[in-house]
Amino acid sequence: MQDPPVTLTCRNVWKVFGDGARRVLDAHDGHPPAEALREAGLIGAVQDASLEVRRGEIFVIMGLSGSGKSTLVRCLSRLIEPTGGQVLFDGQDLLRASRREMIEIRRHKMGMVFQHFALLPHLSVLENVAFPLRVQGVPPGAREERARESITLVGLRGREHYFPRELSGGQQQRVGIARSLVVEPEVWFLDEPFSALDPLIRREMQDEFLRLQTMLHKTIVFITHDVEEAIRLADHIAIMKDGEIIQIATPERLVLEPATEYVAEFTRHIPRGKVVTLASAMTPGPAPGAVAGALSARARVAEVADQVEAAGQPFAVVDDDETVVGHIDGRTVVDILIGRPVRGGEGPR
Amino acid sequence: MIRRGQPVAVPWTALLWLGLIVASVILAEHAKDLSRAWDARWLMKVPSELRIPLKAEVSAFMAWLVEDVRFGPVAFTDITRGMAWLVEQPYDFARALLQSGLTRGQGEGAEQVAPPLSWIAVIAAVVAMGHYARSWTLAAFVGACFLYLAVFGQWDSAMVTLASITIAVPIGVAGGLVLGIAGWRWRAVDAVLRPVLDLMQTVPIFAYLVPILFLFGFGPVAALIATVIYAMPPMVRITTLALRGVPAEIRGFAVMAGCTPSQQLWKVLVPSAMPSLMVGVNQVIMLSLNMVIIASMIGAGGLGFDVLSALRRLDIGAGLEAGLAIVVLAIALDRLSQAFANRPSPTHASQHLPFVRRHPWSLTVALVILGTALLGLVMPAVQSYPDGLTLTTGRFWSDVVETINVRYFDQLEAVKTFMLLNILIPVKRVLLGLPWPWVIGLVTLAGWQLGGWRLALLCFGLSGFLAVNGLWDDAMTTVYLCGVSVAIAGLIGIPLGILATTGSRMGRVIAAVIDTLQTLPSFVYLIPVVMLFRVGDFAAMIAVVLYALAPAVRYTAHGIQAISPQLIEAGIAAGCTRWQLLTRIRLPLALPDIMLGINQTIMLALSMLVITALVGTRDLGQEVYIALTKADTGRGIVAGLGVAAIAIIADRLIAAGAQRARRRLGLAG
Ligand SMILES: Nc1ncnc2c1ncn2[C@@H]1O[C@H](COP(=O)(O)OP(=O)(O)OP(=O)(O)O)[C@@H](O)[C@H]1O
Ligand SMILES: [Mg+2]
């Protein structure tokens, strides 16, 4: 299958806080070593970050608190001015765009959801959601209608006239989501949208988020510090540490081939069965004997575990064209589920 | 408690200062003779070679400003006249609406075209506002306050005052908002505004009046401008702080929603900061009311004028009546504006009602205004409260005071004489008897000990300012009156503050009384004091103590309440008695707060001293007051700066002391 085109690119982006940041960056040809920053008393919140986000994918940026995730996503939307580097959005260099152009881009092509919701306390749900349209000058009737649609989309119908403080945290974030979607943006930035919520509500909101995405197919940059959330939602994950991106990969590759010990540590407790696809787990080539049936190479191990275990015979693994590419037996499935090293040497030791 | 650090240092400085104080007292006794014996008169009187002609220069500058400054074809006076005109238009309208009615023609020949709002309409409007802002209880309360004004014959004056408040407050709020936004937006503006605001808070109000009188002439407009200038600074500060306090995410959202910079400000930041901004509005209202009497010195009419002229006639009854009316008005407006500030935010239930259901009160009030206007044409009692039904308490108060003065004359006089002989006069003698270089040396030394050489330099410079401008004796008189008053306020206020934290009924009563005291305009305190003790230092002192008491109580209570309960529990667990808990734990830990309270007390005392000049004190306040009556700008401004110099010295010394105490207690780094 062909990869969709790249929508958002950032190349060698730096954000250094402190006086004279630009000077230090220039003095080192755009790549100051960590000592140089420390000596100048600067904070390298984002260091030499490069990434590509493809149309319609969920790109998750994950890292511990203070690793520079928020700073990076704010550089992407130019909420803060990067100290150096390039940000391309639909081929346009955002850092060269004029103030007027940036306002237009934000009004029509970008939406953002904030960790603490950032709802305006003096406006009702309806007015909050309609706010981005109001600043664009959309007439009241039209903007109210679009705001209502957006509110319905996130399941808050009937609460249009509530005020933010009359809603629970989860409901407030639904308002934040509805508000960011009301302009039908191309890229959708979400900065730890569910971190302020209780675990149960968080899970519910993740489901809701995935449901929305299957309908809307937005290009998404999603920030989280929660590995499980990242694995659950992401098409690609970028792991950040101390301002640097240390690995960008699909969840599966991240678990199976962590680039550093740090990433391995992060993913150690992820149940492999939920991440590993049959394409990675299978033994290549057709099964030697009879098979119990055929399974898609894209299926995750955990999804088919019961079936394979119960059959007592291996299954054939087929690709999208129904061509047999390998086989898998109950033993392999169990190995992966309980985290034992898999034959064929895949996965961490 | 264990004190780490230099255990010897504390007694050493304490001993040093004890020695210096004893030396000062002895010195004050003999300095005059010594200076004569040594033929060194300069010790007691600042020699003329050291004087600088600042007063004359300021006066000359002001004269030059008014007479010679032109910007192209526009003279400086045109600008001031233009400003005056701009302020005058809305003021005239408000006054016409509330008190005089619309008139055609000038002076005697003027005829009324339309009557002012009837008293019933005004009361209906405030009742509706009270209900809208909070509840029927508040509505009834403010309604009763306004009804009081009508029944006790203060309506006309009160409406004049209200007219100037309704103009001064929006101008002050708008001006403060604009300056505050500028300070938030541009660092440079903030850097300029901040010291100016600091200075404005310490220069006594009277000192502003002199140049304003000079620039704008005598009349309600000058008074209005003075009120605005006086009431605006807190709004500026609060605006800047409130905007800074808007969460970063909300600012981020404004940008991401594609707001232009002005949309960010007016559609997102200002509305989000509204609750804090309302606190500023309340402050502007209260300060405007505080100016009511003072502004009448440069031409505001209304209640302030009534109080002032009654005080000048020593007509106790009338003064008290008008003063009470100011208090009633102040309390009503304070409660109303606070209720607006803390209004419960709207809920979904209130949305989506038809217009009439959502605004029942604005409609009712509009109907009442219309109805009473029509009815007033045929029934004068509806238009203005019938004179026959007013009550006057003036006689009653005069009688009460008379009776007290006659019956308790000996007791009152005994208290007064005792205080004068044993406290006021000795302190005054010491302070005025000290050679000025000695005092400057002491102040500088204190600055050095508490805050290092910078503070020492500041203290030296500011006390030197007093000396070289020929204000020394006035300044010492100010320090003496202020010092004695603050000491007494502290002696009364700190125990009251402790009592207020006990949680008993007594504590709640104290808190309520202090709250009310704080809403009273400073001038009001003069009235009963003058009635009982007539003029002089003692009367001034009592007024100052009453006015400045509140912060001593409040800060003490706050400091004690802020102590971590764990520390108290630790004390109880260690077997402390209640007395030990108080003296070993509560008071030492609350010390930094208590010091800040004393600092505030000093600031209030200094501002009140200028007002007590009316009862014949001989201090810097008197100097400003005389300058005002002579419209002598240079003299007024320099004396005002002199008060500011004292205020700044006291403020910085105490702040440095509080900081040290806090560090010693490990409360702050
Ligand atoms: N305006 C600023 N000035 C100086 N330093 C900053 C600023 N904003 C962020 N930083 C620093 O940059 C680093 C990265 O911050 P950032 O907010 O991007 O982290 P984060 O990964 O989003 O963390 P969290 O999960 O807590 O939100 C931190 O060390 C932070 O202290
Ligand atoms: Mg963050």
Side-chain angles (χ1 to χ4, degrees):
Chain A
M1 212 172 66
Q2 204 183 356
D3 280 340
V6 173
T7 304
L8 188 67
T9 311
C10 92
R11 288 195 196 124
N12 311 105
V13 164
W14 287 78
K15 178 64 202 184
V16 181
F17 287 109
D19 292 332
R22 183 73 239 181
R23 211 163 359 93
V24 175
L25 214 62
D26 288 342
H28 292 85
D29 227 14
H31 289 84
E35 308 86 69
L37 291 180
R38 210 175 314 118
E39 264 168 41
L42 302 174
I43 301 168
V46 171
Q47 303 179 27
D48 207 20
S50 300
L51 53 84
E52 287 183 343
V53 185
R54 292 183 181 277
R55 169 158 309 153
E57 77 163 328
I58 302 179
F59 191 98
V60 172
I61 301 176
M62 193 193 75
L64 296 181
S65 185
S67 57
K69 312 176 296 286
S70 296
T71 309
L72 178 57
V73 78
R74 278 167 172 72
C75 286
L76 295 182
S77 59
R78 217 174 146 203
L79 254 183
I80 53 177
E81 210 61 43
T83 321
Q86 224 182 6
V87 178
L88 298 175
F89 176 47
D90 277 347
Q92 184 186 7
D93 187 346
L94 278 193
L95 304 188
R96 296 245 170 91
S98 70
R99 195 143 74 170
R100 201 63 249 175
E101 286 172 318
M102 270 324 293
I103 289 181
E104 283 309 308
I105 291 172
R106 293 198 184 108
R107 281 185 177 179
H108 301 289
K109 298 189 174 171
M110 289 179 173
M112 184 150 175
V113 179
F114 297 86
Q115 181 173 358
H116 300 287
F117 323 136
L119 301 181
L120 301 179
H122 60 290
L123 299 182
S124 67
V125 168
L126 187 65
E127 291 163 325
N128 258 298
V129 174
F131 186 87
L133 300 173
R134 185 171 128 209
V135 299
Q136 292 176 18
V138 176
R143 70 180 185 233
E144 190 167 310
E145 194 188 319
R146 282 171 64 184
R148 278 180 196 281
E149 278 169 22
S150 200
I151 291 170
T152 310
L153 196 65
V154 298
L156 276 184
R157 198 145 151 206
R159 314 239 166 194
E160 287 88 346
H161 297 295
Y162 281 56
F163 283 83
R165 88 207 127 63
E166 297 178 282
L167 300 175
S168 71
Q171 288 171 326
Q172 291 192 36
Q173 195 56 296
R174 282 170 197 258
V175 179
I177 289 173
R179 183 177 67 178
S180 65
L181 288 177
V182 77
V183 298
E184 294 172 9
E186 273 175 42
V187 249
W188 195 19
F189 298 106
L190 298 102
D191 185 0
E192 304 206 25
F194 309 140
S195 297
L197 306 177
D198 295 335
L200 268 179
I201 310 281
R202 194 181 307 171
R203 188 124 191 131
E204 184 190 317
M205 292 293 286
Q206 289 165 1
D207 292 337
E208 183 77 17
F209 171 75
L210 287 173
R211 178 183 69 84
L212 281 175
Q213 175 63 354
T214 51
M215 289 162 59
L216 304 171
H217 307 293
K218 299 284 174 203
T219 306
I220 292 173
V221 179
F222 188 108
I223 304 222
T224 180
H225 62 238
D226 175 356
V227 202
E228 292 187 33
E229 186 170 76
I231 301 276
R232 204 155 169 242
L233 305 179
D235 292 313
H236 283 98
I237 299 179
I239 304 248
M240 282 191 84
K241 177 176 185 257
D242 299 337
E244 289 177 87
I245 296 182
I246 49 181
Q247 186 174 9
I248 302 181
T250 61
E252 185 178 16
R253 294 265 78 81
L254 205 69
V255 170
L256 297 178
E257 297 157 23
T260 66
E261 194 50 41
Y262 182 77
V263 180
E265 187 55 42
F266 244 124
T267 53
R268 182 148 298 153
H269 306 290
I270 298 297
R272 269 151 187 67
K274 293 197 176 161
V275 186
V276 177
T277 55
L278 295 189
S280 307
M282 71 188 185
T283 314
V291 292
L295 294 168
S296 163
R298 288 168 171 276
R300 310 217 178 246
V301 173
E303 293 160 10
V304 297
D306 283 346
Q307 216 179 334
V308 179
E309 270 255 78
Q313 266 182 339
F315 271 79
V317 178
V318 296
D319 66 8
D320 291 346
D321 304 328
E322 301 288 330
T323 319
V324 174
V325 287
H327 64 275
I328 189 159
D329 56 26
R331 174 88 204 278
T332 318
V333 168
V334 171
D335 282 349
I336 289 173
L337 284 183
I338 65 175
R340 210 169 9 211
V342 178
R343 279 164 302 165
E346 270 172 325
R349 286 139 291 145
Chain B
M1 261 190 319
I2 304 160
R3 284 214 186 98
R4 267 179 252 133
Q6 318 96 321
V8 213
V10 179
W12 179 76
T13 39
L15 275 182
L16 172 75
W17 280 99
L18 197 66
L20 282 173
I21 289 170
V22 173
S24 298
V25 172
I26 298 171
L27 185 65
E29 211 40 43
H30 304 290
K32 215 165 216 155
D33 303 332
L34 278 179
S35 75
R36 238 180 255 132
W38 294 345
D39 198 19
R41 312 220 42 175
W42 59 268
L43 273 177
M44 295 311 295
K45 202 165 156 44
V46 183
S48 51
E49 301 91 75
L50 281 180
R51 300 277 188 92
I52 56 168
L54 189 59
K55 290 177 206 174
E57 274 166 22
V58 171
S59 291
F61 171 77
M62 292 298 289
W64 172 75
L65 205 60
V66 170
E67 283 157 24
D68 297 333
V69 175
R70 305 187 70 82
F71 306 96
V74 187
F76 185 76
T77 40
D78 292 335
I79 298 177
T80 55
R81 245 179 246 138
M83 279 170 66
W85 187 86
L86 276 180
V87 175
E88 196 168 2
Q89 303 316 310
Y91 173 71
D92 283 349
F93 176 73
R95 187 161 170 173
L97 196 67
L98 287 170
Q99 191 250 340
S100 60
L102 277 178
T103 51
R104 192 163 36 207
Q106 292 283 315
E108 292 295 305
E111 56 170 316
Q112 209 177 47
V113 183
L117 290 182
S118 68
W119 63 282
I120 298 177
V122 173
I123 291 179
V126 293
V127 166
M129 283 195 250
H131 179 260
Y132 175 79
R134 173 142 330 136
S135 62
W136 278 117
T137 322
L138 182 69
F141 178 77
V142 292
C145 286
F146 273 70
L147 192 63
Y148 169 93
L149 297 174
V151 172
F152 286 86
Q154 305 292 324
W155 188 261
D156 258 14
S157 293
M159 287 306 112
V160 173
T161 300
L162 190 61
S164 55
I165 301 281
T166 48
I167 300 308
V169 169
I171 298 180
V173 167
L177 200 63
V178 169
L179 285 178
I181 288 172
W184 164 78
R185 185 87 175 61
W186 296 287
R187 223 168 250 256
V189 176
D190 191 41
V192 175
L193 274 179
R194 209 185 279 232
V196 172
L197 293 178
D198 278 348
L199 191 67
M200 278 174 85
Q201 280 207 324
T202 47
V203 175
I205 325 150
F206 273 31
Y208 300 165
L209 296 188
V210 193
I212 288 172
L213 190 62
F214 195 72
L215 292 176
F216 296 96
F218 186 89
V221 171
L224 212 62
I225 290 174
T227 306
V228 169
I229 291 178
Y230 174 66
M232 201 159 63
M235 188 70 201
V236 179
R237 276 178 210 271
I238 289 176
T239 303
T240 305
L241 282 179
L243 289 178
R244 289 226 176 98
V246 174
E249 277 198 349
I250 299 256
R251 268 181 284 139
F253 160 69
V255 177
M256 284 309 290
C259 291
T260 61
S262 79
Q263 285 176 329
Q264 286 176 31
L265 183 62
W266 295 109
K267 297 211 155 129
V268 178
L269 293 173
V270 170
S272 306
M274 199 45 91
S276 317
L277 293 178
M278 285 306 290
V279 176
V281 174
N282 176 260
Q283 286 278 305
V284 173
I285 294 178
M286 294 322 287
L287 288 181
S288 302
L289 277 163
N290 204 348
M291 267 299 268
V292 161
I293 303 176
I294 297 162
S296 65
M297 291 183 175
I298 58 170
L303 293 172
F305 178 79
D306 295 351
V307 171
L308 201 61
S309 60
L311 267 184
R312 289 196 178 126
R313 296 196 309 269
L314 282 182
D315 178 349
I316 302 307
L320 202 69
E321 270 189 308
L324 274 179
I326 296 181
V327 172
V328 167
L329 193 61
I331 292 178
L333 294 184
D334 179 47
R335 296 292 134 82
L336 204 54
S337 61
Q338 280 200 23
F340 266 103
N342 304 326
R343 228 167 78 79
S345 348
T347 60
H348 62 279
S350 63
Q351 294 259 317
H352 243 62
L353 291 170
F355 182 83
V356 183
R357 294 279 308 281
R358 241 182 315 157
H359 301 278
W361 299 111
S362 10
L363 285 177
T364 314
V365 170
L367 287 179
V368 169
I369 290 173
L370 237 139
T372 53
L374 291 177
L375 212 61
L377 295 178
V378 287
M379 280 176 64
V382 172
Q383 174 56 42
S384 37
Y385 189 81
D387 284 340
L389 291 183
T390 54
L391 303 175
T392 171
T393 48
R395 273 245 56 79
F396 167 73
W397 290 116
S398 295
D399 289 346
V400 168
V401 173
E402 187 86 26
T403 316
I404 294 179
N405 275 336
V406 169
R407 192 166 299 166
Y408 299 103
F409 180 82
D410 292 339
Q411 285 88 334
L412 288 174
E413 208 57 17
V415 171
K416 182 171 163 182
T417 316
F418 175 83
M419 293 294 285
L420 275 173
L421 283 185
N422 292 294
I423 297 177
L424 289 167
I425 292 178
V427 174
K428 188 174 184 176
R429 279 234 326 249
V430 168
L431 279 174
L432 284 172
L434 285 173
W436 59 272
W438 173 265
V439 177
I440 293 184
L442 282 189
V443 173
T444 311
L445 179 64
W448 181 71
Q449 280 210 329
L450 289 173
W453 62 271
R454 271 163 187 270
L455 188 58
L457 212 62
L458 182 81
C459 291
F460 179 78
L462 289 174
S463 49
F465 174 89
L466 296 168
V468 299
N469 279 300
L471 298 171
W472 192 259
D473 283 358
D474 290 339
M476 282 300 111
T477 314
T478 306
V479 170
Y480 128 76
L481 255 182
C482 179
V484 173
S485 309
V486 168
I488 294 177
L491 282 179
I492 302 173
I494 295 173
L496 281 182
I498 296 171
L499 261 184
T501 56
T502 51
S504 59
R505 182 139 76 193
M506 176 89 140
R508 282 196 298 279
V509 170
I510 293 173
V513 169
I514 289 296
D515 275 349
T516 313
L517 278 184
Q518 285 226 312
T519 54
L520 304 190
S522 46
F523 230 99
V524 167
Y525 292 89
L526 268 188
I527 304 169
V529 172
V530 172
M531 294 184 317
L532 297 179
F533 299 105
R534 288 170 307 283
V535 297
D537 284 4
F538 182 69
M541 187 202 81
I542 301 280
V544 173
V545 168
L546 285 179
Y547 179 59
L549 190 59
V553 180
R554 280 206 165 167
Y555 279 78
T556 305
H558 174 258
I560 290 182
Q561 273 156 357
I563 297 170
S564 148
Q566 285 179 6
L567 282 172
I568 306 293
E569 278 165 15
I572 295 170
C576 289
T577 62
R578 281 169 61 106
W579 178 249
Q580 283 171 327
L581 275 181
L582 183 65
T583 55
R584 301 277 167 82
I585 297 182
R586 289 204 164 101
L587 282 182
L589 283 172
L591 187 64
D593 276 300
I594 295 177
M595 286 175 82
L596 291 181
I598 294 294
N599 195 1
Q600 280 298 307
T601 306
I602 294 178
M603 298 302 132
L604 288 186
L606 281 171
S607 72
M608 187 67 189
L609 272 182
V610 182
I611 291 165
T612 57
L614 272 179
V615 295
T617 53
R618 292 263 153 268
D619 54 6
L620 284 174
Q622 188 67 5
E623 186 75 4
V624 182
Y625 187 55
I626 293 172
L628 182 63
T629 54
K630 296 188 174 161
D632 182 345
T633 30
R635 193 171 175 182
I637 289 178
V638 171
L641 287 175
V643 178
I646 297 177
I648 294 172
I649 292 176
D651 175 63
R652 298 298 134 87
L653 285 180
I654 292 178
Q659 183 64 24
R660 266 168 69 113
R662 197 171 289 156
R663 210 171 297 155
R664 209 179 57 214
L665 296 171
L667 295 176

